[in-house]
PDB file of all heavy atoms in Angstrom:
ATOM      1  N   CYS A   1     -70.248  21.362 125.870  1.00  0.00           N
ATOM      2  CA  CYS A   1     -68.903  21.762 126.263  1.00  0.00           C
ATOM      3  C   CYS A   1     -67.918  20.994 125.390  1.00  0.00           C
ATOM      4  O   CYS A   1     -67.954  19.770 125.347  1.00  0.00           O
ATOM      5  CB  CYS A   1     -68.688  21.444 127.739  1.00  0.00           C
ATOM      6  SG  CYS A   1     -67.056  21.896 128.324  1.00  0.00           S
ATOM      7  N   GLY A   2     -67.088  21.671 124.651  1.00  0.00           N
ATOM      8  CA  GLY A   2     -66.135  21.010 123.769  1.00  0.00           C
ATOM      9  C   GLY A   2     -66.347  21.442 122.326  1.00  0.00           C
ATOM     10  O   GLY A   2     -67.077  22.377 122.032  1.00  0.00           O
ATOM     11  N   TYR A   3     -65.707  20.734 121.423  1.00  0.00           N
ATOM     12  CA  TYR A   3     -65.688  21.108 120.011  1.00  0.00           C
ATOM     13  C   TYR A   3     -66.564  20.154 119.193  1.00  0.00           C
ATOM     14  O   TYR A   3     -66.074  19.375 118.384  1.00  0.00           O
ATOM     15  CB  TYR A   3     -64.242  21.117 119.507  1.00  0.00           C
ATOM     16  CG  TYR A   3     -63.355  21.973 120.361  1.00  0.00           C
ATOM     17  CD1 TYR A   3     -62.368  21.418 121.162  1.00  0.00           C
ATOM     18  CD2 TYR A   3     -63.514  23.354 120.377  1.00  0.00           C
ATOM     19  CE1 TYR A   3     -61.557  22.222 121.953  1.00  0.00           C
ATOM     20  CE2 TYR A   3     -62.709  24.167 121.161  1.00  0.00           C
ATOM     21  CZ  TYR A   3     -61.738  23.583 121.952  1.00  0.00           C
ATOM     22  OH  TYR A   3     -60.941  24.380 122.734  1.00  0.00           O
ATOM     23  N   PHE A   4     -67.851  20.234 119.417  1.00  0.00           N
ATOM     24  CA  PHE A   4     -68.806  19.348 118.754  1.00  0.00           C
ATOM     25  C   PHE A   4     -69.410  20.021 117.523  1.00  0.00           C
ATOM     26  O   PHE A   4     -69.755  21.198 117.551  1.00  0.00           O
ATOM     27  CB  PHE A   4     -69.929  18.954 119.714  1.00  0.00           C
ATOM     28  CG  PHE A   4     -69.483  18.036 120.806  1.00  0.00           C
ATOM     29  CD1 PHE A   4     -68.986  18.543 122.001  1.00  0.00           C
ATOM     30  CD2 PHE A   4     -69.561  16.661 120.637  1.00  0.00           C
ATOM     31  CE1 PHE A   4     -68.569  17.690 123.008  1.00  0.00           C
ATOM     32  CE2 PHE A   4     -69.155  15.803 121.653  1.00  0.00           C
ATOM     33  CZ  PHE A   4     -68.654  16.327 122.836  1.00  0.00           C
ATOM     34  N   TYR A   5     -69.533  19.238 116.451  1.00  0.00           N
ATOM     35  CA  TYR A   5     -70.165  19.702 115.223  1.00  0.00           C
ATOM     36  C   TYR A   5     -71.160  18.629 114.811  1.00  0.00           C
ATOM     37  O   TYR A   5     -70.843  17.433 114.835  1.00  0.00           O
ATOM     38  CB  TYR A   5     -69.121  19.914 114.119  1.00  0.00           C
ATOM     39  CG  TYR A   5     -69.620  20.762 112.984  1.00  0.00           C
ATOM     40  CD1 TYR A   5     -69.549  22.146 113.039  1.00  0.00           C
ATOM     41  CD2 TYR A   5     -70.171  20.185 111.851  1.00  0.00           C
ATOM     42  CE1 TYR A   5     -70.010  22.941 112.000  1.00  0.00           C
ATOM     43  CE2 TYR A   5     -70.636  20.965 110.798  1.00  0.00           C
ATOM     44  CZ  TYR A   5     -70.557  22.336 110.888  1.00  0.00           C
ATOM     45  OH  TYR A   5     -71.011  23.124 109.853  1.00  0.00           O
ATOM     46  N   LEU A   6     -72.351  19.060 114.458  1.00  0.00           N
ATOM     47  CA  LEU A   6     -73.380  18.098 114.068  1.00  0.00           C
ATOM     48  C   LEU A   6     -72.959  17.318 112.826  1.00  0.00           C
ATOM     49  O   LEU A   6     -72.387  17.894 111.889  1.00  0.00           O
ATOM     50  CB  LEU A   6     -74.695  18.818 113.775  1.00  0.00           C
ATOM     51  CG  LEU A   6     -75.415  19.442 114.957  1.00  0.00           C
ATOM     52  CD1 LEU A   6     -76.624  20.241 114.483  1.00  0.00           C
ATOM     53  CD2 LEU A   6     -75.850  18.366 115.944  1.00  0.00           C
ATOM     54  N   PRO A   7     -73.237  16.013 112.782  1.00  0.00           N
ATOM     55  CA  PRO A   7     -72.995  15.267 111.545  1.00  0.00           C
ATOM     56  C   PRO A   7     -73.727  15.965 110.404  1.00  0.00           C
ATOM     57  O   PRO A   7     -74.904  16.312 110.515  1.00  0.00           O
ATOM     58  CB  PRO A   7     -73.589  13.893 111.844  1.00  0.00           C
ATOM     59  CG  PRO A   7     -73.503  13.778 113.338  1.00  0.00           C
ATOM     60  CD  PRO A   7     -73.759  15.171 113.844  1.00  0.00           C
ATOM     61  N   THR A   8     -73.003  16.184 109.310  1.00  0.00           N
ATOM     62  CA  THR A   8     -73.487  17.039 108.234  1.00  0.00           C
ATOM     63  C   THR A   8     -73.429  16.319 106.895  1.00  0.00           C
ATOM     64  O   THR A   8     -72.451  15.635 106.594  1.00  0.00           O
ATOM     65  CB  THR A   8     -72.626  18.325 108.180  1.00  0.00           C
ATOM     66  OG1 THR A   8     -72.764  19.001 109.438  1.00  0.00           O
ATOM     67  CG2 THR A   8     -73.036  19.239 107.060  1.00  0.00           C
ATOM     68  N   VAL A   9     -74.465  16.480 106.115  1.00  0.00           N
ATOM     69  CA  VAL A   9     -74.507  15.950 104.749  1.00  0.00           C
ATOM     70  C   VAL A   9     -74.754  17.117 103.806  1.00  0.00           C
ATOM     71  O   VAL A   9     -75.709  17.882 103.972  1.00  0.00           O
ATOM     72  CB  VAL A   9     -75.612  14.883 104.584  1.00  0.00           C
ATOM     73  CG1 VAL A   9     -75.700  14.418 103.133  1.00  0.00           C
ATOM     74  CG2 VAL A   9     -75.356  13.699 105.513  1.00  0.00           C
ATOM     75  N   LEU A  10     -73.867  17.243 102.817  1.00  0.00           N
ATOM     76  CA  LEU A  10     -73.976  18.278 101.784  1.00  0.00           C
ATOM     77  C   LEU A  10     -74.167  17.617 100.433  1.00  0.00           C
ATOM     78  O   LEU A  10     -73.408  16.714 100.070  1.00  0.00           O
ATOM     79  CB  LEU A  10     -72.702  19.132 101.741  1.00  0.00           C
ATOM     80  CG  LEU A  10     -72.351  19.906 103.003  1.00  0.00           C
ATOM     81  CD1 LEU A  10     -70.947  20.483 102.891  1.00  0.00           C
ATOM     82  CD2 LEU A  10     -73.370  21.001 103.248  1.00  0.00           C
ATOM     83  N   MET A  11     -75.176  18.054  99.697  1.00  0.00           N
ATOM     84  CA  MET A  11     -75.426  17.529  98.353  1.00  0.00           C
ATOM     85  C   MET A  11     -74.923  18.534  97.325  1.00  0.00           C
ATOM     86  O   MET A  11     -74.782  19.719  97.622  1.00  0.00           O
ATOM     87  CB  MET A  11     -76.930  17.318  98.138  1.00  0.00           C
ATOM     88  CG  MET A  11     -77.580  16.416  99.145  1.00  0.00           C
ATOM     89  SD  MET A  11     -77.719  14.702  98.668  1.00  0.00           S
ATOM     90  CE  MET A  11     -78.373  14.735  97.062  1.00  0.00           C
ATOM     91  N   ASN A  12     -74.698  18.041  96.126  1.00  0.00           N
ATOM     92  CA  ASN A  12     -74.294  18.867  94.977  1.00  0.00           C
ATOM     93  C   ASN A  12     -72.958  19.567  95.197  1.00  0.00           C
ATOM     94  O   ASN A  12     -72.786  20.711  94.793  1.00  0.00           O
ATOM     95  CB  ASN A  12     -75.373  19.897  94.641  1.00  0.00           C
ATOM     96  CG  ASN A  12     -76.665  19.243  94.198  1.00  0.00           C
ATOM     97  OD1 ASN A  12     -76.706  18.059  93.914  1.00  0.00           O
ATOM     98  ND2 ASN A  12     -77.724  20.011  94.142  1.00  0.00           N
ATOM     99  N   ILE A  13     -72.004  18.875  95.815  1.00  0.00           N
ATOM    100  CA  ILE A  13     -70.689  19.489  95.937  1.00  0.00           C
ATOM    101  C   ILE A  13     -69.985  19.403  94.582  1.00  0.00           C
ATOM    102  O   ILE A  13     -70.309  18.551  93.750  1.00  0.00           O
ATOM    103  CB  ILE A  13     -69.843  18.838  97.051  1.00  0.00           C
ATOM    104  CG1 ILE A  13     -69.546  17.375  96.732  1.00  0.00           C
ATOM    105  CG2 ILE A  13     -70.510  18.989  98.405  1.00  0.00           C
ATOM    106  CD1 ILE A  13     -68.435  16.808  97.571  1.00  0.00           C
ATOM    107  N   ASP A  14     -69.039  20.303  94.374  1.00  0.00           N
ATOM    108  CA  ASP A  14     -68.287  20.275  93.120  1.00  0.00           C
ATOM    109  C   ASP A  14     -66.818  20.579  93.397  1.00  0.00           C
ATOM    110  O   ASP A  14     -66.417  20.873  94.520  1.00  0.00           O
ATOM    111  CB  ASP A  14     -68.892  21.233  92.087  1.00  0.00           C
ATOM    112  CG  ASP A  14     -68.826  22.685  92.498  1.00  0.00           C
ATOM    113  OD1 ASP A  14     -67.777  23.140  93.006  1.00  0.00           O
ATOM    114  OD2 ASP A  14     -69.822  23.402  92.297  1.00  0.00           O
ATOM    115  N   ASP A  15     -66.017  20.518  92.344  1.00  0.00           N
ATOM    116  CA  ASP A  15     -64.566  20.639  92.473  1.00  0.00           C
ATOM    117  C   ASP A  15     -64.081  22.019  92.894  1.00  0.00           C
ATOM    118  O   ASP A  15     -62.910  22.174  93.222  1.00  0.00           O
ATOM    119  CB  ASP A  15     -63.897  20.239  91.152  1.00  0.00           C
ATOM    120  CG  ASP A  15     -64.148  18.781  90.799  1.00  0.00           C
ATOM    121  OD1 ASP A  15     -64.502  18.002  91.709  1.00  0.00           O
ATOM    122  OD2 ASP A  15     -64.000  18.420  89.625  1.00  0.00           O
ATOM    123  N   SER A  16     -64.943  23.017  92.904  1.00  0.00           N
ATOM    124  CA  SER A  16     -64.524  24.357  93.320  1.00  0.00           C
ATOM    125  C   SER A  16     -64.532  24.509  94.845  1.00  0.00           C
ATOM    126  O   SER A  16     -64.014  25.488  95.371  1.00  0.00           O
ATOM    127  CB  SER A  16     -65.451  25.418  92.716  1.00  0.00           C
ATOM    128  OG  SER A  16     -66.730  25.386  93.345  1.00  0.00           O
ATOM    129  N   MET A  17     -65.077  23.551  95.556  1.00  0.00           N
ATOM    130  CA  MET A  17     -65.281  23.673  97.002  1.00  0.00           C
ATOM    131  C   MET A  17     -64.113  23.098  97.790  1.00  0.00           C
ATOM    132  O   MET A  17     -63.509  22.098  97.399  1.00  0.00           O
ATOM    133  CB  MET A  17     -66.581  22.965  97.387  1.00  0.00           C
ATOM    134  CG  MET A  17     -67.792  23.560  96.703  1.00  0.00           C
ATOM    135  SD  MET A  17     -69.264  22.569  96.967  1.00  0.00           S
ATOM    136  CE  MET A  17     -70.429  23.411  95.905  1.00  0.00           C
ATOM    137  N   LEU A  18     -63.802  23.723  98.908  1.00  0.00           N
ATOM    138  CA  LEU A  18     -62.711  23.265  99.771  1.00  0.00           C
ATOM    139  C   LEU A  18     -62.888  21.813 100.196  1.00  0.00           C
ATOM    140  O   LEU A  18     -61.905  21.071 100.303  1.00  0.00           O
ATOM    141  CB  LEU A  18     -62.620  24.144 101.030  1.00  0.00           C
ATOM    142  CG  LEU A  18     -62.154  25.578 100.834  1.00  0.00           C
ATOM    143  CD1 LEU A  18     -62.259  26.355 102.144  1.00  0.00           C
ATOM    144  CD2 LEU A  18     -60.725  25.608 100.309  1.00  0.00           C
ATOM    145  N   ILE A  19     -64.113  21.403 100.402  1.00  0.00           N
ATOM    146  CA  ILE A  19     -64.374  20.043 100.882  1.00  0.00           C
ATOM    147  C   ILE A  19     -63.896  18.987  99.879  1.00  0.00           C
ATOM    148  O   ILE A  19     -63.631  17.854 100.253  1.00  0.00           O
ATOM    149  CB  ILE A  19     -65.863  19.855 101.234  1.00  0.00           C
ATOM    150  CG1 ILE A  19     -66.066  18.590 102.050  1.00  0.00           C
ATOM    151  CG2 ILE A  19     -66.743  19.863 100.006  1.00  0.00           C
ATOM    152  CD1 ILE A  19     -67.398  18.455 102.694  1.00  0.00           C
ATOM    153  N   THR A  20     -63.753  19.360  98.615  1.00  0.00           N
ATOM    154  CA  THR A  20     -63.257  18.410  97.615  1.00  0.00           C
ATOM    155  C   THR A  20     -61.755  18.518  97.409  1.00  0.00           C
ATOM    156  O   THR A  20     -61.168  17.675  96.733  1.00  0.00           O
ATOM    157  CB  THR A  20     -63.951  18.622  96.253  1.00  0.00           C
ATOM    158  OG1 THR A  20     -63.630  19.910  95.759  1.00  0.00           O
ATOM    159  CG2 THR A  20     -65.447  18.440  96.358  1.00  0.00           C
ATOM    160  N   ARG A  21     -61.127  19.531  97.985  1.00  0.00           N
ATOM    161  CA  ARG A  21     -59.696  19.757  97.754  1.00  0.00           C
ATOM    162  C   ARG A  21     -58.834  19.664  99.008  1.00  0.00           C
ATOM    163  O   ARG A  21     -57.616  19.688  98.909  1.00  0.00           O
ATOM    164  CB  ARG A  21     -59.497  21.129  97.117  1.00  0.00           C
ATOM    165  CG  ARG A  21     -60.181  21.280  95.772  1.00  0.00           C
ATOM    166  CD  ARG A  21     -59.758  22.526  95.021  1.00  0.00           C
ATOM    167  NE  ARG A  21     -59.537  23.682  95.842  1.00  0.00           N
ATOM    168  CZ  ARG A  21     -60.430  24.639  96.097  1.00  0.00           C
ATOM    169  NH1 ARG A  21     -61.624  24.552  95.585  1.00  0.00           N
ATOM    170  NH2 ARG A  21     -60.120  25.681  96.842  1.00  0.00           N
ATOM    171  N   GLU A  22     -59.442  19.607 100.183  1.00  0.00           N
ATOM    172  CA  GLU A  22     -58.703  19.525 101.441  1.00  0.00           C
ATOM    173  C   GLU A  22     -59.295  18.417 102.303  1.00  0.00           C
ATOM    174  O   GLU A  22     -60.456  18.056 102.148  1.00  0.00           O
ATOM    175  CB  GLU A  22     -58.799  20.855 102.213  1.00  0.00           C
ATOM    176  CG  GLU A  22     -58.158  22.025 101.517  1.00  0.00           C
ATOM    177  CD  GLU A  22     -58.272  23.320 102.322  1.00  0.00           C
ATOM    178  OE1 GLU A  22     -58.788  23.284 103.470  1.00  0.00           O
ATOM    179  OE2 GLU A  22     -57.849  24.356 101.809  1.00  0.00           O
ATOM    180  N   GLU A  23     -58.493  17.908 103.218  1.00  0.00           N
ATOM    181  CA  GLU A  23     -58.981  16.913 104.161  1.00  0.00           C
ATOM    182  C   GLU A  23     -59.723  17.633 105.283  1.00  0.00           C
ATOM    183  O   GLU A  23     -59.142  18.421 106.010  1.00  0.00           O
ATOM    184  CB  GLU A  23     -57.815  16.107 104.729  1.00  0.00           C
ATOM    185  CG  GLU A  23     -57.127  15.254 103.673  1.00  0.00           C
ATOM    186  CD  GLU A  23     -55.918  14.514 104.197  1.00  0.00           C
ATOM    187  OE1 GLU A  23     -54.999  15.169 104.697  1.00  0.00           O
ATOM    188  OE2 GLU A  23     -55.905  13.277 104.093  1.00  0.00           O
ATOM    189  N   THR A  24     -61.006  17.360 105.406  1.00  0.00           N
ATOM    190  CA  THR A  24     -61.840  18.050 106.385  1.00  0.00           C
ATOM    191  C   THR A  24     -61.602  17.519 107.797  1.00  0.00           C
ATOM    192  O   THR A  24     -61.543  18.277 108.745  1.00  0.00           O
ATOM    193  CB  THR A  24     -63.329  17.913 106.019  1.00  0.00           C
ATOM    194  OG1 THR A  24     -63.514  18.421 104.700  1.00  0.00           O
ATOM    195  CG2 THR A  24     -64.208  18.681 106.977  1.00  0.00           C
ATOM    196  N   PHE A  25     -61.458  16.235 107.966  1.00  0.00           N
ATOM    197  CA  PHE A  25     -61.303  15.583 109.267  1.00  0.00           C
ATOM    198  C   PHE A  25     -62.401  16.002 110.239  1.00  0.00           C
ATOM    199  O   PHE A  25     -62.144  16.414 111.367  1.00  0.00           O
ATOM    200  CB  PHE A  25     -59.922  15.828 109.875  1.00  0.00           C
ATOM    201  CG  PHE A  25     -58.826  15.067 109.180  1.00  0.00           C
ATOM    202  CD1 PHE A  25     -57.824  15.745 108.521  1.00  0.00           C
ATOM    203  CD2 PHE A  25     -58.826  13.690 109.187  1.00  0.00           C
ATOM    204  CE1 PHE A  25     -56.814  15.043 107.875  1.00  0.00           C
ATOM    205  CE2 PHE A  25     -57.824  12.978 108.538  1.00  0.00           C
ATOM    206  CZ  PHE A  25     -56.812  13.661 107.881  1.00  0.00           C
ATOM    207  N   GLY A  26     -63.626  15.906 109.775  1.00  0.00           N
ATOM    208  CA  GLY A  26     -64.770  16.227 110.606  1.00  0.00           C
ATOM    209  C   GLY A  26     -65.985  15.457 110.114  1.00  0.00           C
ATOM    210  O   GLY A  26     -65.939  14.797 109.066  1.00  0.00           O
ATOM    211  N   PRO A  27     -67.090  15.566 110.818  1.00  0.00           N
ATOM    212  CA  PRO A  27     -68.284  14.777 110.501  1.00  0.00           C
ATOM    213  C   PRO A  27     -69.098  15.367 109.347  1.00  0.00           C
ATOM    214  O   PRO A  27     -70.245  15.757 109.510  1.00  0.00           O
ATOM    215  CB  PRO A  27     -69.066  14.807 111.822  1.00  0.00           C
ATOM    216  CG  PRO A  27     -68.719  16.142 112.398  1.00  0.00           C
ATOM    217  CD  PRO A  27     -67.278  16.366 112.035  1.00  0.00           C
ATOM    218  N   VAL A  28     -68.456  15.459 108.177  1.00  0.00           N
ATOM    219  CA  VAL A  28     -69.108  16.050 107.007  1.00  0.00           C
ATOM    220  C   VAL A  28     -68.983  15.084 105.834  1.00  0.00           C
ATOM    221  O   VAL A  28     -67.879  14.652 105.501  1.00  0.00           O
ATOM    222  CB  VAL A  28     -68.476  17.405 106.624  1.00  0.00           C
ATOM    223  CG1 VAL A  28     -69.197  18.009 105.428  1.00  0.00           C
ATOM    224  CG2 VAL A  28     -68.471  18.357 107.802  1.00  0.00           C
ATOM    225  N   ALA A  29     -70.106  14.752 105.225  1.00  0.00           N
ATOM    226  CA  ALA A  29     -70.121  13.931 104.017  1.00  0.00           C
ATOM    227  C   ALA A  29     -70.600  14.801 102.868  1.00  0.00           C
ATOM    228  O   ALA A  29     -71.699  15.361 102.922  1.00  0.00           O
ATOM    229  CB  ALA A  29     -71.040  12.733 104.189  1.00  0.00           C
ATOM    230  N   GLY A  30     -69.763  14.924 101.863  1.00  0.00           N
ATOM    231  CA  GLY A  30     -70.137  15.657 100.662  1.00  0.00           C
ATOM    232  C   GLY A  30     -70.549  14.679  99.582  1.00  0.00           C
ATOM    233  O   GLY A  30     -69.838  13.716  99.309  1.00  0.00           O
ATOM    234  N   ILE A  31     -71.691  14.913  98.975  1.00  0.00           N
ATOM    235  CA  ILE A  31     -72.225  13.990  97.969  1.00  0.00           C
ATOM    236  C   ILE A  31     -72.282  14.696  96.622  1.00  0.00           C
ATOM    237  O   ILE A  31     -72.750  15.829  96.515  1.00  0.00           O
ATOM    238  CB  ILE A  31     -73.624  13.491  98.375  1.00  0.00           C
ATOM    239  CG1 ILE A  31     -73.514  12.737  99.702  1.00  0.00           C
ATOM    240  CG2 ILE A  31     -74.231  12.619  97.282  1.00  0.00           C
ATOM    241  CD1 ILE A  31     -74.838  12.319 100.280  1.00  0.00           C
ATOM    242  N   THR A  32     -71.778  14.006  95.617  1.00  0.00           N
ATOM    243  CA  THR A  32     -71.804  14.534  94.259  1.00  0.00           C
ATOM    244  C   THR A  32     -72.265  13.435  93.308  1.00  0.00           C
ATOM    245  O   THR A  32     -72.082  12.248  93.593  1.00  0.00           O
ATOM    246  CB  THR A  32     -70.418  15.066  93.843  1.00  0.00           C
ATOM    247  OG1 THR A  32     -70.512  15.711  92.578  1.00  0.00           O
ATOM    248  CG2 THR A  32     -69.386  13.961  93.755  1.00  0.00           C
ATOM    249  N   ALA A  33     -72.851  13.821  92.218  1.00  0.00           N
ATOM    250  CA  ALA A  33     -73.299  12.851  91.216  1.00  0.00           C
ATOM    251  C   ALA A  33     -72.159  12.554  90.248  1.00  0.00           C
ATOM    252  O   ALA A  33     -71.253  13.370  90.060  1.00  0.00           O
ATOM    253  CB  ALA A  33     -74.494  13.418  90.451  1.00  0.00           C
ATOM    254  N   PHE A  34     -72.218  11.395  89.640  1.00  0.00           N
ATOM    255  CA  PHE A  34     -71.247  11.038  88.617  1.00  0.00           C
ATOM    256  C   PHE A  34     -71.940  10.203  87.556  1.00  0.00           C
ATOM    257  O   PHE A  34     -72.934   9.535  87.836  1.00  0.00           O
ATOM    258  CB  PHE A  34     -70.040  10.308  89.213  1.00  0.00           C
ATOM    259  CG  PHE A  34     -70.392   9.070  89.999  1.00  0.00           C
ATOM    260  CD1 PHE A  34     -70.445   7.835  89.382  1.00  0.00           C
ATOM    261  CD2 PHE A  34     -70.661   9.149  91.351  1.00  0.00           C
ATOM    262  CE1 PHE A  34     -70.765   6.694  90.101  1.00  0.00           C
ATOM    263  CE2 PHE A  34     -70.975   8.012  92.085  1.00  0.00           C
ATOM    264  CZ  PHE A  34     -71.029   6.784  91.446  1.00  0.00           C
ATOM    265  N   ALA A  35     -71.400  10.262  86.340  1.00  0.00           N
ATOM    266  CA  ALA A  35     -72.042   9.579  85.223  1.00  0.00           C
ATOM    267  C   ALA A  35     -71.698   8.100  85.155  1.00  0.00           C
ATOM    268  O   ALA A  35     -72.533   7.272  84.808  1.00  0.00           O
ATOM    269  CB  ALA A  35     -71.662  10.256  83.908  1.00  0.00           C
ATOM    270  N   ASP A  36     -70.447   7.764  85.480  1.00  0.00           N
ATOM    271  CA  ASP A  36     -70.017   6.375  85.374  1.00  0.00           C
ATOM    272  C   ASP A  36     -68.815   6.124  86.281  1.00  0.00           C
ATOM    273  O   ASP A  36     -68.297   7.035  86.920  1.00  0.00           O
ATOM    274  CB  ASP A  36     -69.699   6.002  83.925  1.00  0.00           C
ATOM    275  CG  ASP A  36     -68.648   6.902  83.293  1.00  0.00           C
ATOM    276  OD1 ASP A  36     -67.749   7.399  84.003  1.00  0.00           O
ATOM    277  OD2 ASP A  36     -68.716   7.123  82.075  1.00  0.00           O
ATOM    278  N   GLU A  37     -68.386   4.883  86.318  1.00  0.00           N
ATOM    279  CA  GLU A  37     -67.284   4.474  87.184  1.00  0.00           C
ATOM    280  C   GLU A  37     -65.992   5.216  86.849  1.00  0.00           C
ATOM    281  O   GLU A  37     -65.243   5.607  87.745  1.00  0.00           O
ATOM    282  CB  GLU A  37     -67.095   2.965  87.039  1.00  0.00           C
ATOM    283  CG  GLU A  37     -66.195   2.346  88.057  1.00  0.00           C
ATOM    284  CD  GLU A  37     -66.180   0.830  87.937  1.00  0.00           C
ATOM    285  OE1 GLU A  37     -67.225   0.187  88.165  1.00  0.00           O
ATOM    286  OE2 GLU A  37     -65.097   0.300  87.629  1.00  0.00           O
ATOM    287  N   GLU A  38     -65.715   5.421  85.586  1.00  0.00           N
ATOM    288  CA  GLU A  38     -64.491   6.127  85.182  1.00  0.00           C
ATOM    289  C   GLU A  38     -64.457   7.545  85.752  1.00  0.00           C
ATOM    290  O   GLU A  38     -63.421   8.019  86.219  1.00  0.00           O
ATOM    291  CB  GLU A  38     -64.374   6.173  83.652  1.00  0.00           C
ATOM    292  CG  GLU A  38     -64.059   4.841  83.020  1.00  0.00           C
ATOM    293  CD  GLU A  38     -62.761   4.227  83.542  1.00  0.00           C
ATOM    294  OE1 GLU A  38     -61.742   4.948  83.626  1.00  0.00           O
ATOM    295  OE2 GLU A  38     -62.767   3.030  83.863  1.00  0.00           O
ATOM    296  N   GLU A  39     -65.592   8.226  85.719  1.00  0.00           N
ATOM    297  CA  GLU A  39     -65.650   9.592  86.237  1.00  0.00           C
ATOM    298  C   GLU A  39     -65.416   9.632  87.743  1.00  0.00           C
ATOM    299  O   GLU A  39     -64.689  10.483  88.243  1.00  0.00           O
ATOM    300  CB  GLU A  39     -66.988  10.258  85.901  1.00  0.00           C
ATOM    301  CG  GLU A  39     -67.070  11.690  86.392  1.00  0.00           C
ATOM    302  CD  GLU A  39     -68.421  12.345  86.141  1.00  0.00           C
ATOM    303  OE1 GLU A  39     -69.297  11.741  85.485  1.00  0.00           O
ATOM    304  OE2 GLU A  39     -68.604  13.474  86.636  1.00  0.00           O
ATOM    305  N   VAL A  40     -66.011   8.703  88.472  1.00  0.00           N
ATOM    306  CA  VAL A  40     -65.851   8.723  89.920  1.00  0.00           C
ATOM    307  C   VAL A  40     -64.413   8.381  90.318  1.00  0.00           C
ATOM    308  O   VAL A  40     -63.864   8.959  91.256  1.00  0.00           O
ATOM    309  CB  VAL A  40     -66.878   7.818  90.636  1.00  0.00           C
ATOM    310  CG1 VAL A  40     -66.515   6.353  90.592  1.00  0.00           C
ATOM    311  CG2 VAL A  40     -67.063   8.254  92.071  1.00  0.00           C
ATOM    312  N   ILE A  41     -63.766   7.490  89.610  1.00  0.00           N
ATOM    313  CA  ILE A  41     -62.367   7.167  89.884  1.00  0.00           C
ATOM    314  C   ILE A  41     -61.491   8.384  89.608  1.00  0.00           C
ATOM    315  O   ILE A  41     -60.623   8.737  90.416  1.00  0.00           O
ATOM    316  CB  ILE A  41     -61.905   5.943  89.051  1.00  0.00           C
ATOM    317  CG1 ILE A  41     -62.602   4.683  89.564  1.00  0.00           C
ATOM    318  CG2 ILE A  41     -60.389   5.789  89.094  1.00  0.00           C
ATOM    319  CD1 ILE A  41     -62.445   3.480  88.661  1.00  0.00           C
ATOM    320  N   ALA A  42     -61.722   9.044  88.485  1.00  0.00           N
ATOM    321  CA  ALA A  42     -60.935  10.242  88.151  1.00  0.00           C
ATOM    322  C   ALA A  42     -61.134  11.335  89.200  1.00  0.00           C
ATOM    323  O   ALA A  42     -60.165  11.972  89.633  1.00  0.00           O
ATOM    324  CB  ALA A  42     -61.322  10.749  86.763  1.00  0.00           C
ATOM    325  N   LYS A  43     -62.371  11.559  89.629  1.00  0.00           N
ATOM    326  CA  LYS A  43     -62.639  12.590  90.651  1.00  0.00           C
ATOM    327  C   LYS A  43     -61.979  12.238  91.975  1.00  0.00           C
ATOM    328  O   LYS A  43     -61.384  13.082  92.627  1.00  0.00           O
ATOM    329  CB  LYS A  43     -64.147  12.770  90.861  1.00  0.00           C
ATOM    330  CG  LYS A  43     -64.816  13.629  89.834  1.00  0.00           C
ATOM    331  CD  LYS A  43     -66.274  13.862  90.213  1.00  0.00           C
ATOM    332  CE  LYS A  43     -66.908  14.831  89.252  1.00  0.00           C
ATOM    333  NZ  LYS A  43     -68.177  15.350  89.744  1.00  0.00           N
TER     334      LYS A  43
END
């Protein structure tokens, strides 16, 4: 009863996906690979 969503892990997310461009405010972790520290900071 209520608005429950299972904790979710998504792999291989990219910049075309809403999860990378909007605040989800839910139990979702999107995981993406990066080559180095500079790339992860820029993303």
Side-chain angles (χ1 to χ4, degrees):
C1 180
Y3 307 111
F4 290 89
Y5 197 86
L6 291 174
T8 299
V9 176
L10 299 169
M11 303 265 312
N12 296 347
I13 64 164
D14 64 44
D15 297 341
S16 72
M17 299 171 186
L18 291 174
I19 194 167
T20 63
R21 299 192 323 265
E22 296 180 4
E23 294 176 302
T24 303
F25 288 116
V28 181
I31 299 174
T32 187
F34 56 91
D36 57 31
E37 192 174 295
E38 289 302 314
E39 181 183 354
V40 79
I41 291 168
K43 279 186 175 194

